[in-house]
Amino acid sequence: MTINTDNLLESILASLDRVDYIKAEEIPDIDLYMDQMTSFMDERLKPSARHEDTDKILTKTMINNYAKNDLLPPPVKKKYSKEHILMLVFIYYFKGVLSIGDIQKLLQPLTERYFHNEQGGLTLEEVYETVFSMESGRAQEVKEDVKTAYERACSVFTDVEDEEEAEMLRNFAFICILSFDVYMKKLMIEKIIDGLPDQRQTKKRERKQGDTNG
């Protein structure tokens, strides 16, 4: 027996198929003004929005807040580079799961090492492409996990005679299974972030040490 008659599972899997990351080569190599950048992000990430017709992917206020909280380097002469867009894509995916403080702690080492890196070695674009190439392969695994969760939800509340009630309960069970997965993974992510060095505290100690030595 299925959860409902609207092909819920097929609809969910189809929505996952529409999720795709912005490839680095698709990002303009020229610097963009704020309106140009938000239009580009909106166009490319709209398919993953919950309400595609009304949800805003990025706004000027969001971007200014990211810069204010040191998640995003400031623009140069009011223009944003390709690397700014790469950082904004990371922020876009993290902000639904992590706090601003956690995102700042996670991204600051990348900004310091790879943003406008002129010293050779890895570039931010290479880091971005490597990470997201892994994510694209993960999509099929997620779909299999969703199918398993759906099957488990369909197997419970079989003794409920009222079909509408049973459908409601199975929907609830399905959401609970998916939510528990998110909850557990969020705990793991936060544990890893808590173990990362805090660049802000390190800099404060270095400045204090410098003042003492001076």
Side-chain angles (χ1 to χ4, degrees), residues 42-58:
D42 193 69
E43 177 186 349
R44 295 311 314 275
L45 294 175
K46 265 298 190 191
S48 64
R50 182 178 183 181
H51 305 292
E52 191 170 340
D53 294 335
T54 58
D55 286 357
K56 297 294 292 184
I57 300 300
L58 279 175

Side-chain angles (χ1 to χ4, degrees), residues 52-143:
E52 191 170 340
D53 294 335
T54 58
D55 286 357
K56 297 294 292 184
I57 300 300
L58 279 175
T59 65
K60 294 180 181 180
T61 301
M62 289 178 190
I63 294 171
N64 289 334
N65 283 338
Y66 298 154
K68 180 180 179 181
N69 287 280
D70 296 325
L71 273 67
L72 186 73
V76 177
K77 297 181 180 179
K78 297 184 178 181
K79 285 189 173 183
Y80 296 84
S81 67
K82 183 175 186 176
E83 290 180 320
H84 280 104
I85 296 178
L86 297 177
M87 296 300 294
L88 280 170
V89 175
F90 282 127
I91 294 170
Y92 174 75
Y93 287 113
F94 287 142
K95 70 186 179 76
V97 181
L98 302 176
S99 68
I100 290 293
D102 281 345
I103 299 173
Q104 197 277 340
K105 187 175 181 181
L106 187 58
L107 293 184
Q108 187 172 18
L110 270 71
T111 301
E112 293 182 350
R113 289 175 182 265
Y114 307 117
F115 195 90
H116 290 169
N117 178 23
E118 298 177 353
Q119 300 177 353
L122 278 174
T123 65
L124 183 60
E125 182 174 334
E126 289 171 329
V127 173
Y128 176 93
E129 280 294 341
T130 299
V131 170
F132 276 96
S133 65
M134 294 169 55
E135 293 297 321
S136 61
R138 174 70 179 135
Q140 185 57 41
E141 297 173 9
V142 171
K143 290 172 70 173

